[in-house]
Amino acid sequence: MQWRLRPAALALAGAFLALAGQLAGPLGAAPTAAQRQAAPADGPDPVDFAVVVDQSESLAPEDLAREVEAAALIAQGEISERSRATVIGFGSSEKPGQSPVREVCPRTVADAAGRQRLSDCVQQLTKRDSRVGPGTDFPSALRQAVTRLTEDGRTGTHKVVFLLTDGRLDVSGSPEYGSDPASRQANGAKRLTDELARARAASVQIWPLGFGEKIDRAALRAMAAGGYTGGCADRPETRPKMRVLKTSAGIDRALQETFAHARCAQFAPGDTGRPPADLTVTIPPIATDGSLTVAKHDPKVTVTYFDPLGRKVPVRDTFDGSSFELSGQDGPVEALRVTNPLPGRWRVHIEAPEGHRDREVGVSAIWQGKLRSAVTLDPASPRAGEKAVIEVRMQTRRGVVITDPGQLSGIEVRARLAGDGFAPVTVPLADDGKGADRKAGDVRYTGFVTVPAGANGDLELTTLMSAPGVTSDLRPLHARTTQGTPQVTAGLTVDRAAVHPGDTLRGTLDLTNNDTAPHTLRLALEDIAPGVELRVEPATVTAPPGKRKVDFTVTVGAGSSPVGELGGQVAVLDADDDGRTLDTAFLEVRVEAPPTWWEKWWGAVLGGVAVLLLLGAFLGVRIAARRRRRDLTGLRLVLSRDGRELDSRTIHAGQSAGGEYWFTVDDVGGAAPTLRRSRSGAAGAHRLRRTGGGELLLRAHRGRDTAVRAGDPVDLGDDCTLVVQGVRPAGRRTTASGPSRLLGLLTGLGRRGRPPGPRDPRGGWTRPGNGDRDRTGDRDRDRSSGGRDDREPGRTPPRTDEHPAGAGTWDPDF
């Protein structure tokens, strides 16, 4: 009988495969020579694992389908190019021709070809085989798995069994366990205990994953505790524990967390959403190997990946120091495995055609940090019995120095000193600001070590660290003990600075040569980050007898990639003493990207913009002020004949566009002449205008421009004269405050003076709209007309605010 895999199961399998595959190297492009050389030392440690799948009748068909999905997910996942996987189905043996176990995938190296073989052979678990009985023979299944994981004697490799079952032992129908069902069950339980002890002795972990509705939780916990519990690191979360998977909704996350703990990796959940959408997940700076897993459930969903800088990354190539490999693109789960991922928030864009957008898609990340430890020993060549200071800082393969203590939360760091003439010594290191540690929280782990009295030659110092998702590369620092007083001592200091590629740092070397002959010293750079070009000058220094101070420089190559806090250190070695290290100093440098054009010139650009804005504002104010100076609003025109006022008219706002006012003198039916506003250029019209300098000019009909002064009559013909009132006098400035004063100051910039204005013949200064209401003609006209405007019958003329002469002043600029 064959069971079809449900979409949720396929998603589960894809997620687990992607999870396991995150620790592999790139396959899309041929590795460079440097990558091939670095892979054994820097790549993820291999793991040997077996996926053991319960195919007994105690599981419902849908639970069996979910088990098979999980098996496919785990088995297909590439953990390391050197990892090996085995897939085993099991039931029981109840009659001749039956076997309790069925090895569907023999031990297979999880390289590119091996992963494809695993993907194919695991599908055999989707159908029951009559050669496997219906019971649940845990002892036989575990014995087969432990045998396969230990048969070649490979040591130093983490060994894991993922047991997918409901946890219900059933060997009641298996004759090999006894003559009746009760004794068979009792003997089966005893033999299970023996097989768990065998797994524990062989350092094989067992991680039970419970499926089904009738799960025996106690049995699952017992199997997790019965195997090896040491874990891949001395952390509680890496110790085996059982996990029950009840619903499809939580399967993806549960499997990924389980695998992460078993593999000493970390799980980072991300966003979920329906396509089209942008989902994000964050990879921390401490990660050196990661996998972006997209549980899309529907192969029709397409995915595009963008790094934290917003750049689309390749799916099978190298790019900016990272290597990429996409798997599962045509399945319900796909994963982009990244070596040396750029830390930060990654974006995943998902699309799907119509009819394939109803399922939620989720993104998550699995990552592991394999850190390089940069170590200094002070003094660099200690004497036997001397107390020395060990200082360690961490950096990734990209050369990113870890400066945030939160990223190493819970880490334990130790140093192991080994060498000739003494047993190895292990000392704890701390970042607590106590003892040898200079500053708490600077992510520099420090401690004292006393070199054993028996030390008589080479020393080897190794850093050991333990943290969630973090492992150490275990590269040792080699040193040598000093016998007696050293001939040459040295002290290094290097500037702490932020630099761009191409910049130079300065350092100082203080030397003391107690020998009678000069020594040749060599300056060297060690633990330099990939992609960073550094050069130290001078490379060699001569140390004559006595004391000497030497300045040197460290230049960051123009082609260096920005990596943040720069890893590495400067060392000075005595070439005349077999290259003995005299001193080392960490580089405390941050390499930043060269400034962009905007970063270089933003100040000048903003300054220029500010100048243009000020100039524009100044010109705008000048233009506005000029318009106001030419404005005739408030002027009063008085029409007279033989010294008697006939009519008057005040110019109101909006009636002198462009500084011009047109009017006519109407003499109809023998009545007294009146003033009437006219259109520009109308027949018989007169024009009054003001120049930009403030001068008033009147052009009578068919005449020429004549200068007008306040109170001076101008002949308009027909024995009529015109007097203009309300003009600012010359030689006096008005006062203003607030915005008006500022406006006046701006409009006055660049202008030496102002043409004098006309004086009121009656004394005092006038302002527009302020006439003399005591003038008899005005009062007589007002009384005789009854407030009517003869020029517009039935309309009351607008009121003008007039004040006695000398009551105030008005500046046309404001």
Side-chain angles (χ1 to χ4, degrees), residues 610-625 743 746-747:
V611 169
L612 290 176
L613 290 176
L614 288 174
L615 180 59
F618 169 72
L619 293 176
V621 170
R622 288 297 303 272
I623 292 171
L743 184 60
L746 290 175
T747 56

Side-chain angles (χ1 to χ4, degrees), residues 13-29 44 47 49 51 71-87 104-123 259 291 315-316 324-329 333-339:
F16 216 148
L17 287 173
L19 172 63
Q22 57 90 18
L23 292 174
L27 294 176
V47 61
F49 64 98
V51 183
L73 177 60
I74 300 170
Q76 190 178 355
E78 166 199 348
I79 299 175
S80 166
E81 289 295 324
R82 297 172 290 156
S83 294
R84 299 179 300 186
T86 303
V87 180
V104 295
C105 299
R107 189 173 63 189
T108 305
V109 177
D111 54 14
R115 289 194 310 276
Q116 184 57 50
R117 287 196 297 271
L118 291 169
S119 176
D120 296 337
C121 63
V122 76
Q123 299 305 316
F259 179 80
S291 175
V315 296
R316 200 175 292 269
F324 301 89
E325 180 198 2
L326 182 66
S327 62
Q329 194 170 13
V333 174
E334 69 175 67
L336 182 69
R337 289 176 286 277
V338 190
T339 302

Side-chain angles (χ1 to χ4, degrees), residues 518-597:
H519 281 238
T520 299
L521 308 182
R522 184 168 60 88
L523 289 170
L525 296 167
E526 301 175 348
D527 288 330
I528 304 304
V532 177
E533 303 169 1
L534 294 180
R535 183 178 69 256
V536 60
E537 294 178 333
T540 58
V541 175
T542 300
K547 296 181 178 294
R548 186 187 176 192
K549 183 176 182 179
V550 178
D551 294 329
F552 65 91
T553 61
V554 177
T555 301
V556 181
S560 298
S561 301
V563 295
E565 192 76 18
L566 182 63
Q569 52 189 313
V570 182
V572 56
L573 303 93
D574 190 346
D576 293 332
D577 191 7
D578 294 331
R580 182 172 63 91
T581 301
L582 303 180
D583 195 21
T584 58
F586 285 131
L587 290 171
E588 300 185 84
V589 180
R590 184 173 184 83
V591 180
E592 300 175 344
T596 62
W597 181 91

Side-chain angles (χ1 to χ4, degrees), residues 625-626 629-630 689-695 751 754-755 813:
R626 183 180 180 89
R629 282 198 306 272
R630 298 184 65 187
R689 71 182 182 91
R690 195 197 302 269
T691 67
E695 182 181 13
R751 192 170 71 241
R754 189 186 305 276
D813 289 353

Side-chain angles (χ1 to χ4, degrees), residues 473-546:
D473 60 359
L474 302 178
R475 293 180 305 158
L477 168 70
H478 294 283
R480 196 169 75 230
T481 56
T482 297
Q483 305 298 326
T485 302
Q487 294 179 325
V488 181
T489 60
L492 282 167
T493 58
V494 185
D495 290 347
R496 180 180 180 88
V499 300
H500 301 135
D503 289 351
T504 297
L505 304 165
R506 297 190 176 276
T508 303
L509 173 61
D510 291 301
L511 300 171
T512 300
N513 184 358
N514 299 313
D515 197 1
T516 57
H519 281 238
T520 299
L521 308 182
R522 184 168 60 88
L523 289 170
L525 296 167
E526 301 175 348
D527 288 330
I528 304 304
V532 177
E533 303 169 1
L534 294 180
R535 183 178 69 256
V536 60
E537 294 178 333
T540 58
V541 175
T542 300

Side-chain angles (χ1 to χ4, degrees), residues 698 707-715 721-725 758-761:
L698 176 65
V708 177
R709 295 180 64 84
D712 292 347
V714 180
D715 185 19
T721 60
L722 183 74
V723 175
V724 180
Q725 298 176 351
R759 176 184 289 272
D760 191 311

